[in-house]
Amino acid sequence: MARKATTESGAGAASARGSARAALRVSPKRAEVLLPPLSPYGGGLDPDGDYDGLEFKDLDLTGQEGPGARFIDCSLDGCGLDETALGRARFVDSVLSRVRGVGTDLAGASLRDVEIVDARLGGVQLHGAVLERVLIRGGKIDYLNLRKSRLKDVVFEGCVLSEPDFGGAELIRVEFRDCVLRRADLSGVRMKDVDLRTVAELDIARGLDRLAGAVINSAQLLQLAPAFAAQIGVRVED
């Protein structure tokens, strides 16, 4: 009976380990945006404006004020967003392609079922924002501010993130696929089912101790080993 109990206990432990590994491999629910026929839009932005089923094509929206605006079933393609104020804006079932700009303010914004493709942005303010089922594919974003934001079912794919700030953010089912993650700040981050295994360049400036809830590959572990050692006060000398 003791031998049987030991065997069952070992099988139970192995099953638990398998379940834990599986739990770390939960894939995000990817955004799948199917836009209806859109009407061309050539105007500007208004605070709390309602934009439904519109195509913003190659518009210069530099410095415009659209806080609290709602974009539903919209396409923003090739638009300039330098210093554009879109705090607390809502984007639902929308695609942002080739948008460019520095200092775009999206603080407290809500993005749900959104694709951002080939963006060229710098200093984007997304602190306190909520991103759910969002795909960010291609392009380059410098100094992305996602402090205290909430990301759920978000995929970063083939993009370059230079010095992104995730301080105090919550990441649930987030995948960084074939990305460059350079000088990332993970201070105070909470992670669950975050997949970093295919990150092409993984460079963490702060918050290395916040990787609990993420999965990395063995090569990344070796790369980060000196930083892990330093984090717990271990000195490595030959």
Side-chain angles (χ1 to χ4, degrees), residues 138-192:
K140 186 174 188 289
I141 306 178
D142 298 324
Y143 311 111
L144 174 61
N145 183 353
L146 280 164
R147 294 186 69 83
K148 296 188 177 180
S149 57
R150 186 172 189 268
L151 285 69
K152 183 177 180 181
D153 293 315
V154 175
V155 176
F156 295 88
E157 183 174 273
C159 56
V160 176
L161 302 179
S162 181
E163 300 193 41
D165 187 350
F166 293 93
E170 181 179 15
L171 279 64
I172 302 172
R173 293 196 300 272
V174 175
E175 182 177 3
F176 296 84
R177 179 178 296 176
D178 301 321
C179 292
V180 170
L181 201 56
R182 193 173 290 149
R183 303 297 295 163
D185 187 345
L186 303 180
S187 305
V189 167
R190 300 182 303 281
M191 294 187 179
K192 181 179 180 182

Side-chain angles (χ1 to χ4, degrees), residues 2 27 29 42 54 63 78 81 87 127 132 143 149 164 179 188 195-196 211 223 225 235:
S27 297
K29 299 173 184 175
L54 299 176
L81 299 176
H127 52 277
E132 185 171 355
Y143 311 111
S149 57
C179 292
D195 195 339
L196 296 164
L211 282 174
Q223 175 190 340
R235 213 170 52 224

Side-chain angles (χ1 to χ4, degrees), residues 24-202:
L24 280 173
R25 293 174 185 163
V26 176
S27 297
K29 299 173 184 175
R30 291 176 66 97
E32 295 182 359
V33 182
L34 298 175
L35 292 174
L38 303 177
S39 301
Y41 181 79
L45 299 177
D46 294 315
D48 298 313
D50 275 309
Y51 306 99
D52 193 342
L54 299 176
E55 181 184 38
F56 296 72
K57 178 75 171 176
D58 296 324
L59 298 182
D60 184 2
L61 303 176
T62 296
Q64 296 205 20
E65 301 282 335
R70 290 167 292 280
F71 300 84
I72 300 174
D73 290 325
C74 284
S75 168
L76 280 72
D77 186 2
C79 295
L81 299 176
D82 290 281
E83 303 291 342
T84 305
L86 289 165
R88 298 176 288 100
R90 292 181 57 206
F91 291 83
V92 180
D93 293 316
S94 295
V95 178
L96 286 70
S97 301
R98 303 183 302 113
V99 293
R100 63 196 184 280
V102 175
T104 309
D105 183 3
L106 286 158
S110 172
L111 284 71
R112 179 165 56 85
D113 293 305
V114 169
E115 295 183 11
I116 302 174
V117 182
D118 293 332
R120 294 290 189 275
L121 300 168
V124 179
Q125 301 301 311
L126 269 164
H127 52 277
V130 176
L131 283 67
E132 185 171 355
R133 293 190 301 276
V134 173
L135 170 65
I136 300 174
R137 185 175 69 241
K140 186 174 188 289
I141 306 178
D142 298 324
Y143 311 111
L144 174 61
N145 183 353
L146 280 164
R147 294 186 69 83
K148 296 188 177 180
S149 57
R150 186 172 189 268
L151 285 69
K152 183 177 180 181
D153 293 315
V154 175
V155 176
F156 295 88
E157 183 174 273
C159 56
V160 176
L161 302 179
S162 181
E163 300 193 41
D165 187 350
F166 293 93
E170 181 179 15
L171 279 64
I172 302 172
R173 293 196 300 272
V174 175
E175 182 177 3
F176 296 84
R177 179 178 296 176
D178 301 321
C179 292
V180 170
L181 201 56
R182 193 173 290 149
R183 303 297 295 163
D185 187 345
L186 303 180
S187 305
V189 167
R190 300 182 303 281
M191 294 187 179
K192 181 179 180 182
D193 300 324
V194 174
D195 195 339
L196 296 164
R197 289 174 296 174
T198 65
V199 171
E201 180 183 331
L202 181 58

